Amino acid sequence: RPGLGDRTRSAPSVRCKEAYKEEDDLSDLIEDIFHDDPSVSELSKSSPGTITNCSGHRAPSQTKGRKCCPVYLGGSSAPLGLGTNTSQRTCDQLRCTTCDFRVITLDDYEWNKSCDYLFFRNNMPDLDKLKVKTLSRIGTRAYACQCSWRSIQNLADLREEQELRWVCGRH
């Protein structure tokens, strides 16, 4: 029976692929812990640049994939990049967990008071359509996803903006 033999041979490779995906997910989670908690990252210095997964294979450490902690919003004069307690940069990789859209930013603009949910829902992510409801304002940065929007002038910790469901999408 050639058909039966073919089925039994393909099943282990599917399981194997699933196992590798689970190991990759676990490695990503461990990386997040190392980068977010300084006390844990001290432990990782014993073998810099690598993590050993459960099967004994060494997975290369990813320099890409760090998250801002805390996440900052700020005006156009605030530097963009990976934000930390010591390097207060505004995150330029924001993503909304409610609408699953990337948060766009417009330097030196603020949102018009007439903006509403339907405007962003219908026009996101078309910048030309969005700019129709902006006002030029030096030093301000306009932020928006498909369901929320803010105009910010001064550096602000995202944790203080409780109604926003934005997170750092990794740098």
Side-chain angles (χ1 to χ4, degrees):
R1 294 180 170 178
L4 181 62
D6 291 341
R7 267 188 255 138
T8 56
R9 275 190 219 119
S10 65
S13 67
V14 170
R15 278 189 224 123
C16 194
K17 287 178 185 175
E18 289 173 0
Y20 284 126
K21 183 182 182 311
E22 288 173 6
E23 287 175 6
D24 288 344
D25 291 345
L26 183 58
S27 293
D28 288 344
L29 181 60
I30 292 169
E31 280 291 317
D32 285 345
I33 292 169
F34 283 152
H35 291 298
D36 291 346
D37 188 345
S39 63
V40 175
S41 66
E42 291 298 318
L43 298 173
S44 70
K45 291 184 179 171
S46 59
S47 60
T50 60
I51 294 177
T52 304
N53 59 23
C54 295
S55 63
H57 295 97
R58 291 169 54 147
S61 175
Q62 298 174 349
T63 56
K64 189 175 181 186
R66 295 197 60 193
K67 288 185 176 182
C68 293
C69 185
V71 178
Y72 291 106
L73 303 176
S76 60
S77 61
L80 295 169
L82 179 68
T84 65
N85 283 322
T86 55
S87 173
Q88 296 181 336
R89 293 188 174 104
T90 59
C91 184
D92 57 353
Q93 299 297 319
L94 292 170
R95 185 153 199 92
C96 180
T97 59
T98 303
C99 65
D100 197 32
F101 264 68
R102 189 163 192 270
V103 176
I104 59 106
T105 59
L106 299 169
D107 283 346
D108 297 321
Y109 285 97
E110 70 179 354
W111 297 115
N112 188 311
K113 302 284 185 219
S114 67
C115 290
D116 62 2
Y117 173 82
L118 284 176
F119 170 74
F120 290 101
R121 182 86 178 153
N122 292 328
N123 296 304
M124 195 65 166
D126 188 334
L127 290 177
D128 292 330
K129 290 181 179 179
L130 291 172
K131 280 190 174 182
V132 169
K133 291 220 179 188
T134 60
L135 303 170
S136 180
R137 184 165 185 166
I138 303 297
T140 302
R141 185 174 286 143
Y143 291 84
C145 62
Q146 196 178 36
C147 65
S148 302
W149 62 97
R150 284 289 180 283
S151 297
I152 306 283
Q153 277 191 307
N154 301 317
L155 193 67
D157 190 327
L158 187 57
R159 293 176 290 194
E160 295 170 8
E161 299 282 338
Q162 303 262 330
E163 59 280 353
L164 294 176
R165 300 289 180 230
W166 295 345
V167 296
C168 176
R170 297 183 186 256
H171 292 264

